[in-house]
Amino acid sequence: VQLVESKGGLVQPGGSLRLSCKASQMILSTFIQFNMGWYRQAPGAQRELVAQITTAGITNYADSVKGRFTISKDNSRKTIYLQMNSLQPEDTATYYCNMNNPAYTYWGRGIQVTVSS
């Protein structure tokens, strides 16, 4: 399984970005059995959960991003998204895609998001 993140980059404070993560080399019937999520890690900090979406479509967010970030999933594309609005400098981090079930956990390689003027 390979998780490929895309659409990070540099954005000004108050701006928006939409990250995507595609699960390749995985058939759909397997993909839908996984919970999916986004984590982030800033320099010198621990990796933290940003948002997750379960196999039942239930979403959960870190308090710091509630109301600003939205996680979604397109099963037909085997892709999840993270819409990030009202970005702030403290959102600067490497963002990692994650998929997990009780037996397996997979991580993407990470994508940089920098919020700066």
Side-chain angles (χ1 to χ4, degrees):
V1 175
Q2 188 175 16
L3 299 178
V4 181
E5 300 109 333
S6 60
K7 304 293 186 182
L10 174 65
V11 63
Q12 292 187 341
S16 298
L17 280 175
R18 189 175 82 150
L19 305 182
S20 64
C21 172
K22 183 176 177 63
S24 63
Q25 302 174 1
M26 176 175 279
I27 61 176
L28 179 58
S29 60
T30 300
F31 176 79
I32 62 175
Q33 295 177 37
F34 281 80
N35 303 308
M36 305 289 298
W38 290 95
Y39 288 70
R40 68 185 181 188
Q41 187 168 18
Q46 290 189 332
R47 190 173 297 188
E48 62 175 358
L49 175 67
V50 175
Q52 61 182 12
I53 183 166
T54 70
T55 56
I58 298 170
T59 58
N60 183 44
Y61 298 91
D63 288 342
S64 59
V65 307
K66 281 181 181 176
R68 300 189 298 124
F69 290 12
T70 302
I71 187 170
S72 60
K73 182 170 65 168
D74 184 338
N75 286 331
S76 66
R77 296 179 184 271
K78 293 178 286 183
T79 299
I80 64 167
Y81 304 94
L82 185 67
Q83 178 66 44
M84 304 185 293
N85 298 328
S86 302
L87 283 161
Q88 301 301 319
E90 53 265 34
D91 295 315
T92 295
T94 301
Y95 284 70
Y96 297 89
C97 178
N98 170 276
M99 60 187 304
N100 67 85
N101 67 16
Y104 301 99
T105 298
Y106 300 104
W107 291 93
R109 298 180 68 176
I111 192 165
Q112 181 65 34
V113 172
T114 302
V115 185
S116 176
S117 56

